[in-house]
Amino acid sequence: MSSPELDVRYVANLARIDLSDAEITQFQSQLGRVLEYVEQLNQVDVSQVEPTAHANDVTNVFRVDEARHGLDKKAALQNAPRQVNGLVSVTKVIE
Amino acid sequence: MEIFDLSVAELQAKLRAKELSPVDALDALESRIAAVDPKVGAYLSRDLEAARVEAAQADVNLPLGGVPIGIKDVINVLGQPCTAASKILEPFRSPYNATVINKLRAAGAVPFGRLNMDEFAMGSSTENSAFHPTHNPWDLSRIPGGSSGGSAAAVAAREAFATLGSDTGGSIRQPAALCGCVGLKPTYGRVSRYGLIAFASSLDQIGPFARTTRDCGLLLNALSGRDPMDSTSLDQPVDDYTSLLGRDLKGVKLGIPKEYFVDGMDTQVRASVEAAIKQCESLGAELVEISLPHTEFAVGVYYIIATAEASANLARFDGVRYGHRADAPKDLLDHYKRTREEGFGSEVKRRIILGTYVLSSGYYDAYYLRAQKVRTLIRQDFTAAFEKCDALICPTSPDLAFKIGERTDDPLRMYLADIFTIAANLAGICGLSVPCGFGEKDGVKLPIGLQFLGKPFDEARLLQIADAYEQSTDWHKAAPAL
């Protein structure tokens, strides 16, 4: 059974992933079953419960604001699939 | 005894006595890997020459001096590949070291080899590696567990003395159980995640695999501590994690969570774990039955929170700054979509889709926010339980290692393999799996793991308890025939 709400094609576009028609059909049914499974969370009364974002009760962790060396240009560029004149080359965005 | 059979502690003793050199240790591993890794498939790559240079200079008097440590292929080591077992990172070379690598080296250890895993640590079987599966050393037709399957299989197959893995929902403890070694997931915030490729940032934690609990303690000594580069690493005192080892269990209260002994779990697993609990009692532990009432919701909460965080973390793989890039894109949208289609495997795509969906407009409150609230209840279950006991004792995995291919078409069934390990990540507590016996499938012996779960930052106690059990048995000494 597939979830009536989940539209895999639409969400794949949001996530910027091309999927084949076969993958869309397969994910629709597999993820439909997963979503059906997580429906069980609706049994829990959470009206008086605060959410947990992560397990440690710390917020706003700062470090001293001082300049430090990061990656040099060569190291920063070494993995870029396309580069021009020491810069990362990006696929054209403006006509 | 062969060199590759030594524990880390035994190897150290021989290195310090000059009976062996660090290069001898490395060579012993290399010939073992050459002999058995074509069957096991634990390693994705290794750089023997670079490791030899390091080994030759190692100071054996340092805490891990001269000990080679295998690294899951999700932790950056300067100049080495770091693929996360994904095609999208196949061309990548790390431009920096993870903090854990700097810490291992400061302790004298020699990082050696890149270990196989499920792609981006998403999986429970290591079948999701884009390169090749890893085989369970006890039965090559079966999975080693996952996602750190290479790290577990290498230790079990004597292709490494100890390794690093990462655990987001059980990815250290479950493969340790299925391969018959010891695997430790530290408390969230105990070990820096800087340089670990992020899967689910509120759950991920790096930890060690080894053949003994003591060895895991030795590694944790080196790995622990606050790191300014990871703001979620906490400034908690770092204990000597071997200081409590060797004691019995008198005065220790062990909680048995009744929800972790469910119908449908393998009967051999149940029998072994129940025998292990009796053994702990005979060593002096007091047993108390406790309840973690929200256990049944842990898998559901996990697959919402982990996929939501993953969908955000994996947005960085865009084919611009690093990794695979699609050929001749017609525009930027086409560039992103084809790069990610070609680079990611099926399970990663599936989880990105699910995570994007649960965060999308109109569904956030129903899924993500609700899951975060149930996460609070799961965490409170553990807080309440630890008021009644020092640690929990339970199975690591409900099943023995399953056959390669058996569950690949059924993601939900695969997700349920993590049912006993996931809650610890949601609660942020520490946990460990230690061998507690063998079951049998098709006439072949398969390891069973016993899980201990401990209070936050109470790893010293967790290791003490596991060591007391382990040293009263011979299970950890068994080696697969390869």
Side-chain angles (χ1 to χ4, degrees), chain B residues 7-31:
Chain B
S7 69
V8 170
E10 290 164 342
L11 174 64
Q12 276 188 313
K14 290 194 183 293
L15 293 174
R16 287 174 186 163
K18 309 272 186 239
E19 288 171 45
L20 283 177
S21 76
V23 173
D24 295 336
L26 206 52
D27 286 345
L29 286 187
E30 180 59 23
S31 57

Side-chain angles (χ1 to χ4, degrees), chain A residues 51-56, chain B residues 201-203 305 309 368 372 375-376:
Chain A
T52 294
H54 69 96
N56 294 336
Chain B
S201 304
S202 80
L203 304 165
I305 290 177
E309 294 183 12
Y368 187 63
Q372 285 190 314
R375 181 177 185 181
T376 303

Side-chain angles (χ1 to χ4, degrees), chain B residues 207-226:
Chain B
F209 287 88
R211 290 194 286 268
T212 67
T213 300
R214 175 175 294 274
D215 287 357
C216 282
L218 289 168
L219 264 73
L220 189 64
N221 282 347
L223 299 171
S224 295
R226 162 110 180 95

Side-chain angles (χ1 to χ4, degrees), chain A residues 81, chain B residues 88 314-322 324-325 332 335-336 339-340 344:
Chain B
I88 210 161
L314 271 63
R316 61 170 60 89
F317 299 100
D318 58 5
V320 175
R321 292 154 299 157
Y322 38 72
H324 171 75
R325 172 190 187 274
L332 189 62
H335 162 123
Y336 288 150
T339 293
R340 288 159 67 79
F344 290 138

Side-chain angles (χ1 to χ4, degrees), chain A residues 5 13 15-16 18 23 30 40-41 44 49-50 52-53 55-56 63 78-82 91 93, chain B residues 93 188 202 228 296-297 320-322 332-333 335 337 340-341 349-350 357 363 370 372 375-376 379:
Chain A
E5 307 253 347
N13 180 52
R16 299 293 186 255
D18 265 350
E23 274 177 317
Q30 289 173 332
Q40 54 155 290
L41 299 188
V44 187
V49 183
E50 289 295 313
T52 294
N56 294 336
R63 60 173 183 248
Q78 78 181 35
N79 285 298
R82 284 210 168 185
T91 302
V93 285
Chain B
R93 292 294 174 277
Y188 185 75
S202 80
E296 63 176 305
F297 304 111
V320 175
R321 292 154 299 157
Y322 38 72
L332 189 62
L333 194 61
H335 162 123
K337 288 171 116 178
R340 288 159 67 79
E341 187 219 356
K349 289 174 187 167
R350 202 157 28 233
Y357 175 68
Y363 299 99
R370 175 168 284 269
Q372 285 190 314
R375 181 177 185 181
T376 303
R379 206 171 153 223

Side-chain angles (χ1 to χ4, degrees), chain B residues 181-206:
Chain B
C181 51
V182 186
L184 169 66
K185 183 203 93 72
T187 306
Y188 185 75
R190 174 71 301 177
V191 175
S192 168
R193 296 180 295 109
Y194 179 69
L196 169 72
I197 296 176
F199 161 15
S201 304
S202 80
L203 304 165
D204 297 340
Q205 192 65 194
I206 295 170

